[in-house]
Amino acid sequence: MIKFAILGYGFVGAVHAATLKKVEGAEAVAVIEKDKSKWNSVTKGNIDVDGMQPLDVPLFETIEEMQKEVNADCLSICLPTYLHRSYTERAMAAGMHVVCEKPMALSLSDCDAMIAACEKYDKQLFIAQCIRFWPEYVALKKIHDSGELGRPVSFRFFRLSGKPSWGGPDSWFLQEEKSGGCLFDLHVHDADFVHFLLGEPKAVFARGVNLVNGTNAAVISHYIYEGNITCTTEGSWLYHSGFKMGYSAVYENGQIEYDSTQSPALKLWRTGADPEILPVNEGDGYIEQYKYFVNCLNRGVKPERITPESARFSIKLALAEKESLTQGRVIFL
Ligand SMILES: NC(=O)c1ccc[n+]([C@@H]2O[C@H](COP(=O)([O-])OP(=O)(O)OC[C@H]3O[C@@H](n4cnc5c(N)ncnc54)[C@H](O)[C@@H]3O)[C@@H](O)[C@H]2O)c1
């Protein structure tokens, strides 16, 4: 049994706690949350996950106190993004592997320090880019890699939500230097999936909208590849009706469309045939990513499906998009 401690019991900390109950071979053994008002409550975010509930595990204020009593194998870091690097280093120094929420960090130097900590302490780092494990995106990757629809032609990914409101009006989310804004916080899911699917683009071009304090709130990006192929993404915190994600992936011999708000949500068209409703596996990316990482830990192998280096490239992409937003030009990677 792999023992996980969860650091930060805000919205996503509660998602991790609920998720770990559904993963065989894993157990949440402690939570570290500095704000005691969260100890008996659940923070509601922009999506619902079954089983989110007040805590029923020992609670601590620091990871060092927790580690003395509980001796966890792995720390799941569910802290505001600007804290990801320092707590990854502290967790590994205290003898734990790390699951760290996306985005990995807000600078490449922080990503490099996290990768260096893995070497220094001989620990695994799993960046929770859950979309690589989300059933509808796993289905796309499988069909894409099989080559059965022929040459890839055009791709559009979207992820639309209201502003994260669960931290209140002064939330760290709404401060660019702490969250990176929508570009790093929400859109990074698609930036990550794009290069997982299509490989590294040679350049990016982005246009965006900011909040009054200058924090990015919406971004539309072009990922520029060699050859006859287009790829755009849209990420927004300015959407008025809930949350939706999806994509349209067009190939020379067919296309796949996913819209999380539709039922059926995932469809495949082969040239000249009626649309097919694609079956997807049960579960969600949160569960699947833990199942995968628990398996890696049990086998003592690096998580090849999302290496820290690959998660770092997602930050490189987001930084290039930020530069494009600021400079109004194409940025080569
Ligand atoms: N994968 C996803 O779908 C997803 C969804 C939401 C958030 N996230 C990511 O998860 C991270 C956290 O987001 P959130 O929505 O849970 O934020 P949040 O503000 O709801 O929760 C963060 C929690 O960390 C606690 N905290 C802060 N500093 C601490 C410290 N030093 N020690 C102990 N606790 C501390 C806060 O009190 C708070 O409860 C962010 O990086 C965010 O981008 C991922």
Side-chain angles (χ1 to χ4, degrees):
M1 183 68 73
I2 309 273
K3 293 191 285 179
F4 287 85
I6 296 170
L7 176 59
Y9 199 70
F11 165 49
V12 99
V15 171
H16 282 244
T19 299
L20 281 164
K21 288 184 191 295
K22 302 168 196 162
V23 176
E24 213 176 299
E27 185 187 8
V29 291
V31 164
I32 307 112
E33 167 57 62
K34 67 169 190 178
D35 176 353
K36 288 191 171 176
S37 73
K38 307 266 179 97
W39 287 21
N40 292 310
S41 62
V42 171
T43 307
K44 198 172 160 39
N46 57 352
I47 52 170
D48 289 323
V49 169
D50 281 348
M52 285 168 72
Q53 60 180 48
L55 290 165
D56 52 4
V57 293
L59 287 151
F60 299 89
E61 284 182 82
T62 69
I63 54 176
E64 289 78 10
E65 281 172 55
M66 179 279 299
Q67 199 53 342
K68 253 189 248 155
E69 279 198 35
V70 174
N71 195 22
D73 303 302
C74 183
L75 187 71
S76 295
I77 298 180
C78 300
L79 294 180
T81 302
Y82 66 100
L83 297 171
H84 288 180
R85 171 201 171 160
S86 57
Y87 280 90
T88 295
E89 292 172 327
R90 276 173 71 171
M92 288 186 181
M96 289 176 278
H97 300 291
V98 169
V99 169
C100 179
E101 262 302 336
K102 52 42 69 181
M104 184 174 186
L106 299 174
S107 69
L108 293 181
S109 57
D110 277 5
C111 296
D112 290 339
M114 292 162 84
I115 292 169
C118 300
E119 296 287 317
K120 181 171 173 188
Y121 298 108
D122 191 22
K123 293 292 167 202
Q124 300 284 7
L125 172 60
F126 180 90
I127 304 298
Q129 291 287 180
C130 57
I131 294 304
R132 294 192 188 206
F133 299 84
W134 213 274
E136 289 82 358
Y137 293 79
V138 171
L140 170 59
K141 172 91 171 129
K142 195 171 163 201
I143 292 175
H144 180 90
D145 289 350
S146 77
E148 66 183 88
L149 293 182
R151 186 175 62 78
V153 175
S154 71
F155 295 81
R156 185 175 70 90
F157 295 88
F158 58 87
R159 192 165 301 276
L160 312 175
S161 171
K163 267 187 307 203
S165 56
W166 50 97
D170 302 322
S171 164
W172 65 272
F173 272 114
L174 307 181
Q175 300 169 46
E176 179 104 11
E177 69 283 6
K178 293 187 172 171
S179 71
C182 176
L183 174 61
F184 283 80
D185 192 70
L186 188 69
H187 160 74
V188 77
H189 281 298
D190 292 308
D192 182 73
F193 191 77
V194 164
H195 76 88
F196 182 52
L197 187 76
L198 301 176
E200 298 183 359
K202 67 173 187 178
V204 295
F205 177 70
R207 295 283 291 160
V209 176
N210 292 342
L211 302 177
V212 281
N213 70 2
T215 301
N216 174 262
V219 58
I220 292 185
S221 302
H222 284 264
Y223 292 79
I224 300 164
Y225 286 90
E226 300 285 357
N228 204 10
I229 177 170
T230 66
C231 178
T232 60
T233 59
E234 178 180 9
S236 178
W237 277 350
L238 303 176
Y239 191 59
H240 290 280
S241 46
F243 171 82
K244 92 178 195 174
M245 63 181 178
Y247 57 76
S248 158
V250 179
Y251 295 80
E252 72 183 320
N253 299 324
Q255 73 195 44
I256 310 166
E257 304 251 340
Y258 170 56
D259 180 333
S260 63
T261 63
Q262 301 293 310
S263 183
L266 184 63
K267 290 187 203 141
L268 163 68
W269 284 259
R270 295 178 199 274
T271 313
D274 290 337
E276 297 166 37
I277 296 164
L278 279 180
V280 284
N281 294 337
E282 279 194 17
D284 61 33
Y286 300 126
I287 300 173
E288 295 306 312
Q289 68 184 3
Y290 264 111
K291 280 194 201 160
Y292 174 81
F293 188 50
V294 164
N295 185 271
C296 289
L297 289 177
N298 283 331
R299 291 188 298 127
V301 299
K302 198 169 167 174
E304 290 301 334
R305 199 145 143 205
I306 171 72
T307 60
E309 292 77 10
S310 179
R312 178 190 187 276
F313 187 77
S314 305
I315 303 307
K316 188 174 176 181
L317 267 180
L319 286 165
E321 290 172 69
K322 182 174 172 178
E323 198 180 342
S324 179
L325 289 174
T326 316
Q327 299 193 8
R329 64 181 177 86
V330 171
I331 302 296
F332 285 84
L333 287 147

